[in-house]
């Protein structure tokens, strides 16, 4: 049975030097436990903090945490991006589906799982709430589980239940979860969303990433019928379509009638929507993002974004040049899964430019150091505010032409010049 302590400081007292700590991620980031750990950092050496994207984790940048606590990030966040690029934190490029597996096989040992859970129900079950992702596997693998019990954490159905007896130390405090909302969509985002929406039809089963583009796409799908969701994550746009009767999940080939995801991040409305709702299951990300479970859904349409694309179709999504910006996440899991799904499609949707229109995101060759997240052999549809470039089955010259057609007009001449020089025949 969990021992209940009075403070976050007491809860993290079990952590010792040289340990590998898994940090519950996304909107479930246990910020209070992290704060207490950073306070104690000077007494510890060589502690690794394994993590996905963290919210409200700015305390990790505190100078005294350096050298004592070292973030090991599968996905950079606001707090860790600068640290990774300075060399005071590490980035591990890995497909999201592989992360739980690496813990289960022991390839990536986990000594302690730091999690944020709902209070135990009448059966003694707490819930990982808004974020099951790789934290389910971390709890199975860890020798010690330390929990912040938060009465505001929803009780989600699926794989996120952890029995009270599995928790070693628990600390209770009611705090609101982080609200993560993109800015309202601008004209460029609206146009991208319109083109992407034209690739989506009745009864498609969708995977959508986070951000302004996915939510804008959802707002263009209100005329469709019986959409399903099998996604690494979802946000407010999905709730809108469920309430409008557009998402019914009726025709999904797996988990029919049920919305499947690995985590949610958005407004309080999304968190209320999943609370004790058996129509939503948050499942272990090793299962959600496995090629087998993705591709068993017919008409699987994945929608993700990118930072840069070269004219051969290589998609960079985790770095700006060699500066790490985010992570591999589930993009490639879903691109590959959609390719295998009957009548499946993958979409990479992005603005044609960055930095106020001064940089083209469609470039002849990737910037030195840029990381390829989706290889050119697997890429399917690229969507910008200028239309759709379908690359699957196209030659290098054909795909370069298709991409130039959706590049910003200010950069098309330069791209054409490069193409002529590269393929003079
Ligand atoms: N050169 C220089 N700067 C660039 C750039 C480029 N080629 N592309 C983007 N940027 C800048 C933008 O201007 C923006 O800067 P700002 O914050 O100062 O405005 C910043 O980088 C982020 O770009 P943006 O396009 O707004 O990012 P986003 O929030 O829409 O996220 C990804 C896009 C690709 C980073 C995100 O989808 C991701 O992390 N994907 C990888 C994993 C994945 O797809 N997982 C599955 C879904 S969860």
């Amino acid at each position: 049975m969990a021992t209940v302590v009075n403070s976050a400081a007491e809860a993290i007292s079990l952590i010792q030097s040289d340990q590998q700590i898994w940090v519950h991620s996304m909107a479930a980031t246990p910020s209070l436990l992290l704060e207490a750990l950073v306070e104690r950092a000077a007494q510890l050496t060589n502690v690794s903090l394994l993590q996905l994207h963290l919210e409200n984790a700015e305390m990790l940048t505190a100078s005294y945490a350096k050298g004592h606590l070292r973030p090991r990030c599968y996905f950079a966040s606001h707090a860790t991006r600068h640290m990774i690029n300075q060399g005071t934190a590490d980035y591990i490029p890995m497909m999201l589906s592989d992360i739980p597996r690496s813990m289960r096989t022991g390839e990536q040992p986990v000594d302690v799982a730091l999690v944020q859970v709902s209070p135990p129900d009448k059966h003694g079950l707490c819930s990982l709430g808004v974020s099951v992702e790789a934290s389910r596997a971390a709890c199975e693998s860890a020798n010690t589980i330390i929990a912040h019990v938060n009465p505001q954490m929803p009780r989600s159905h699926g794989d996120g239940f952890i029995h009270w007896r599995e928790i070693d130390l628990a600390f209770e405090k009611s705090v609101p979860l982080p609200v993560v909302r993109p800015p309202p969509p601008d004209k460029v985002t609206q146009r991208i969303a319109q083109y992407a929406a034209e690739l989506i039809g009745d009864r498609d089963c969708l995977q959508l990433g986070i951000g302004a583009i996915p939510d804008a796409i959802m707002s263009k799908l209100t005329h469709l019928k019986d959409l399903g969701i099998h996604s690494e994550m979802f946000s407010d746009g999905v709730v809108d379509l469920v309430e409008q009767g557009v998402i019914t999940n009726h025709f999904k080939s797996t988990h029919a009638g049920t919305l499947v995801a690995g985590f949610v991040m958005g407004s309080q409305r999304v968190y209320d929507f999943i609370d004790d709702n058996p129509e939503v299951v948050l499942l272990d990300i090793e299962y959600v993002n496995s090629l087998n479970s993705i591709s068993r859904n017919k008409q699987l349409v994945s929608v993700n974004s990118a930072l840069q694309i070269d004219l051969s179709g290589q998609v960079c999504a985790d770095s700006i040049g060699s500066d790490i910006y985010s992570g591999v996440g589930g993009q490639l899991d879903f691109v590959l899964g959609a390719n295998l799904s009957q009548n499946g499609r993958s979409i990479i949707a992005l603005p044609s430019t960055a930095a106020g229109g001064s940089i083209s995101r469609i470039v002849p060759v990737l910037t030195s150091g840029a990381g390829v997240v989706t290889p050119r052999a697997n890429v399917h549809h690229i969507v910008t505010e200028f239309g759709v470039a379908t690359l699957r089955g196209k030659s290098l010259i054909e795909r370069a032409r298709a991409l130039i057609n959706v590049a910003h007009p200010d950069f098309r001449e330069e791209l054409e010049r490069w193409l002529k020089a590269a393929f003079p025949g």
Side-chain angles (χ1 to χ4, degrees), residues 271-395:
Y271 308 148
D272 292 340
F273 172 70
I274 68 159
D275 186 33
D276 227 344
N277 180 353
E279 284 187 343
V280 182
V281 287
L282 296 194
L283 302 179
D284 189 304
I285 212 73
E286 182 176 350
Y287 169 82
V288 175
N289 280 30
S290 76
L291 290 195
N292 189 29
S293 46
I294 298 168
S295 61
R296 277 165 64 211
N297 288 290
K298 292 179 190 158
Q299 298 180 221
L300 193 293
V301 182
S302 80
V303 184
N304 292 295
S305 194
L307 296 165
Q308 196 178 53
I309 297 186
D310 75 13
L311 286 182
S312 75
Q314 301 194 91
V315 177
C316 165
D318 65 348
S319 70
I320 298 175
S322 54
D323 281 349
I324 298 305
Y325 185 81
S326 57
V328 172
Q331 180 171 126
L332 185 54
D333 290 326
F334 274 93
V335 167
L336 296 175
N339 278 350
L340 291 173
S341 152
Q342 188 181 320
N343 195 22
R345 282 141 279 154
S346 78
I347 298 169
I348 302 287
L350 77 166
S352 66
T353 62
S358 62
I359 297 173
S360 177
R361 297 202 196 204
I362 297 178
V363 290
V365 290
L366 295 178
T367 304
S368 175
V372 173
V373 168
T374 294
R376 59 193 177 191
N378 305 99
V379 71
H380 191 180
H381 298 295
I382 304 291
V383 176
T384 73
E385 69 275 28
F386 296 103
V388 179
T390 299
L391 305 188
R392 192 146 82 188
K394 286 203 165 71
S395 72

Side-chain angles (χ1 to χ4, degrees), residues 9 64 79 89 109 128 153 195 220 222 236 260 263 270 288 294 313 327 362 370 407 420:
Y64 53 89
L128 290 170
M153 178 62 87
Y195 283 118
K220 310 279 185 205
T222 51
D236 289 60
V260 172
F263 63 94
V270 185
V288 175
I294 298 168
I362 297 178
K420 276 202 185 101

Side-chain angles (χ1 to χ4, degrees), residues 32 116-120 126-127 129 148-155 171-177 268 271-272 275:
L32 296 179
Q116 187 177 181
V117 295
S118 65
C126 301
S127 164
H148 166 201
V149 177
N150 182 359
Q152 296 190 49
M153 178 62 87
R155 179 181 185 274
F171 150 75
E172 181 168 330
K173 185 163 184 178
S174 182
V175 288
L177 296 182
Q268 185 61 39
Y271 308 148
D272 292 340
D275 186 33

Side-chain angles (χ1 to χ4, degrees), residues 1-7 10-16 19 33 110-115 117 124 126 138-149 162-172:
M1 286 297 164
T3 302
V4 180
V5 293
N6 291 324
S7 66
E10 285 174 80
I12 53 97
S13 61
L14 289 179
I15 293 177
Q16 294 162 17
Q19 285 187 323
L33 295 176
V110 179
D111 298 302
V112 179
L114 280 190
V115 292
V117 295
C126 301
C139 289
E140 287 169 21
S141 313
N143 300 321
T144 303
I145 301 179
I146 297 174
H148 166 201
V149 177
I162 298 184
H163 202 280
W164 188 238
R165 65 175 164 259
E166 294 172 55
I167 295 172
D168 294 278
L169 283 186
F171 150 75
E172 181 168 330

Side-chain angles (χ1 to χ4, degrees), residues 23 47 157 242 267 282 318 378 418:
V23 185
V47 170
H157 286 241
V242 170
S267 72
L282 296 194
D318 65 348
N378 305 99
W418 181 88

